Every structure is written in structure tokens, then in C-alpha cells.
Amino acid sequence: TPTPTPTPTPTGLTKGVKADQTKRVFTGYYPSWSDNWFTAFNEDGTAKSLDQVYTESKLAKVPAQFTHVQLSFADPNFSWNGMTANNWSGTGINFNGTPKDIKAAIQVLHARNIKVILAVGGANYNNWTGLVNEAGVANGPIKTALKNFMLDLGVDGLDVDYEVGGADDVNVTAYAKAIQTMREAVDAAGGGRILTLAGWSTGADCTAATSSDAGCAGKVSYWTGSAARERLAFKKTVPGTGKTIASLLNVVSVMSYDAQTLHYDPVVAYDQYRSLLPATTIVSIGLETAAEGWAGGQLVINNADAVCSGSTISADQYGNANPGTYSVERFANKMLTANTNSRDGLMLWHILKADSAACGSGI
């Protein structure tokens, strides 16, 4: 059997700004389908330098304000053919470059002190059954494929983006098992890798099903559907360990966008998620550049810019009127005054989305 040719290691980086991993987390989702084509290799097969990759790769040039970049999205029914095959077959990922090219871009991001996470799931991938069934199972094929992918590309962890709707016990149990399986894959890969999660906008809300929770006394959310899904899932335990599902997560980013501004306040969502998770877990409020995909929310930069429809919050999840503006300033100030985890921050969906609506003096 011939020995596969190893991937050449590019030489040092002098370009780009480095991120600061000691300050607040700013997570950005990176859509693989919108990445540009580039190659990390010269015509003679030698590796381009990291400076060359930085110049040619859109992914490698992600701004240093981002501490974590989430590569979006992998299919939960994940398989991986390895670096020798050098294709994305079975992964669900849609980069134009090959795995060897993207590995070089990841090396640039690492040289710039930016962590790279593989986001699994998303709105279009809902086949979680195989992954769910591998919870607690040694050497499951999906778990092994995820582990090998992280090792092969140098990815720093996994992101659970479970968007199967519903807060019934069957779905909540499946969700908890998906988190467990992905934690096991991260731990199997080792190297201090982390598990992050994109929390549903109303997933920490109080509903009739959570009336016994101390934090839910007298509170029932306006929302149904997936409301309280994370609240219920995080309380479940990993069999045989006594660990809660909440304790498995390093970072939780609340998808607090596309949820209207008529009956929803991201600050309330943050406070609720924060109360469900250990103090060591980083929790972030999610942002989406205006205009949002649906529901009419229009994020502005400063409080003073909130002068158009969708830029102020009419009421929160529990009917409390006029809680504040729908602005980056308000959400960032919440992080600065929360005093729970000094790295709590913000998340953006998505890094490459251009603004398309103006309000006040900014977007």
C-alpha cells in the first residue's frame, strides 16, 4: 500500500491582526457555501506561505474582533473520508476549496489566535437519529468521524446547532443525547477542544411544562413550540455520571434574532440562559445584521439609532412593555454589567452577511 503524501505545512504569517482570547468572546458563524475558491498550493505542489493563504482566502481574513469562527454547517449524519480523499463527501459542508485548502486557512486563523469550531446541524440538516443513538456508545461511526475530522483539519471543537422543533419529552431527550454524543467526540479528540451550542431564542423561557422551576414561579412565556426546550434539556443528566447536560457546554450563544421585537427581548433570554448554566460557561447574545431574514427585527448600533420600525422592543416574553432598544449598544452594555462571567459576549449570524437596511445614523 503506497504511503499517502502528507499535507505540506505552510511557512509563517506576518499579515493580519491577532484576536485576544483573554477578553470577551465574539463568535461568528461562517457560511461555507459563500466562501471563495482558492488553493493553498503552488503549481509545483509546494505549499503557499501563510501570508499567501491570508491574501487569497476569505476565511483566513476573518476580522480579529472574532474570537471564535463557526464553520457552517455539517450534517449530523456525518461521515469523513480523510485527508487523502480530500473531498467534503458525507460532511454536508460546502466549501469551494478542498479540505487541504481549508486546513491551510485554519492554520492562518490559529496563527491569528482565532479558534475554529465545526457547527453541526442548522436549519437544513435535521437527521440527528444516528448521532443521538451513539450517546454513551464507544467508537460510534459518526462520533469517530467527527473526532477524526477535528484532528485532521485542526478544528478546535464542535457546535451543537439542533433545530428540530418541539419541546416534548421525546425531542428534549434526543437533544440531550445529541449534546452528550458531541461532548464525547470532543473529548475523544482531546487537546483542550470545546463544545459550544446555539441556543434557541426562546429555549430558556418558562412554560407550563417548567412551572416547578424556581425561576419560573408565576411566569409563562408568550411563546410555545420550542419554548423551554433548552431549559428542559439542560436539566437532564448523563447516565452513570451525575453530570447535567448543562455542565458539558463551554459556550452557549443565544439565537436571539428572527424572534420578533413584539414579544421578545434578547436581554431576558440572556438572563434566563445565564441562570441555567454554570458560571464557567460563556453565554452570548446573538446578533443579525439588519434587516433580519423574517419577523421584522432591525438591529441598530446605538440606542439613539432606534427610530424605525423593528428597532425597539414592544414587550418581552412575559408581556412587560417597552424594555428597551434592539441595539448592539444595549446588548453590549448588558454584557459589561452582568458580572457573571468576564468572557460573556456576543455572537453574529453570519460573518459574510451584508447590511441591507439603515436606521438612524447606523445599521
Side-chain angles (χ1 to χ4, degrees), residues 54-177:
Y54 175 88
T55 299
E56 297 176 19
S57 166
K58 191 186 298 184
L59 173 61
K61 287 195 290 287
V62 165
Q65 286 89 339
F66 292 99
T67 57
H68 295 65
V69 173
Q70 317 278 70
L71 306 180
S72 311
F73 286 103
D75 190 336
N77 192 31
F78 189 86
S79 62
W80 169 239
N81 296 320
M83 294 302 291
T84 302
N86 200 30
N87 61 55
W88 301 109
S89 178
T91 67
I93 302 167
N94 293 294
F95 281 110
N96 290 305
T98 69
K100 288 182 180 180
D101 299 324
I102 299 304
K103 180 174 182 176
I106 292 171
Q107 289 174 321
V108 173
L109 291 172
H110 283 164
R112 298 177 56 220
N113 206 29
I114 297 172
K115 292 186 179 295
V116 181
I117 312 296
L118 177 66
V120 179
N124 295 323
Y125 289 135
N126 293 313
N127 186 8
W128 288 87
T129 302
L131 189 146
V132 165
N133 289 338
E134 290 186 18
V137 177
N139 302 316
I142 298 175
K143 192 188 304 182
T144 300
L146 288 168
K147 177 197 75 173
N148 289 339
F149 182 89
M150 286 185 278
L151 292 172
D152 285 348
L153 269 78
V155 169
D156 300 298
L158 299 175
D159 178 62
V160 186
D161 205 313
Y162 185 94
E163 296 195 29
V164 180
D168 57 280
D169 189 60
V170 171
N171 194 43
V172 167
T173 299
Y175 188 16
K177 288 184 176 181

Side-chain angles (χ1 to χ4, degrees), residues 10 40 143 198 236 239 259 311:
K143 192 188 304 182
K236 290 187 175 292
S311 63

Side-chain angles (χ1 to χ4, degrees), residues 76 105 166 263 303 335:
H263 305 280
N303 292 337
M335 295 299 102

Side-chain angles (χ1 to χ4, degrees), residues 333-348:
N333 283 341
K334 175 63 181 179
M335 295 299 102
L336 296 174
T337 58
N339 295 323
T340 303
N341 185 315
S342 62
R343 300 209 68 202
D344 283 1
L346 300 171
M347 173 267 278
L348 182 68

Side-chain angles (χ1 to χ4, degrees), residues 231-270:
R231 179 176 287 273
L232 294 164
F234 289 177
K235 292 194 302 182
K236 290 187 175 292
T237 57
V238 179
T241 69
K243 293 181 179 179
T244 64
I245 294 298
S247 72
L248 306 181
L249 300 166
N250 300 102
V251 182
V252 172
S253 299
V254 187
M255 295 187 288
S256 44
Y257 39 79
D258 283 339
Q260 301 184 356
T261 54
L262 301 177
H263 305 280
Y264 183 80
D265 183 3
V267 168
V268 171
Y270 164 80

Side-chain angles (χ1 to χ4, degrees), residues 2 10 12 21 38 47-48 53 60 70 91 155 191 196 225 243-244 280 296 319 349 354:
Q21 290 290 343
F38 73 99
K48 292 179 178 177
V53 174
Q70 317 278 70
T91 67
V155 169
T196 70
K243 293 181 179 179
T244 64
T280 52
W349 171 259

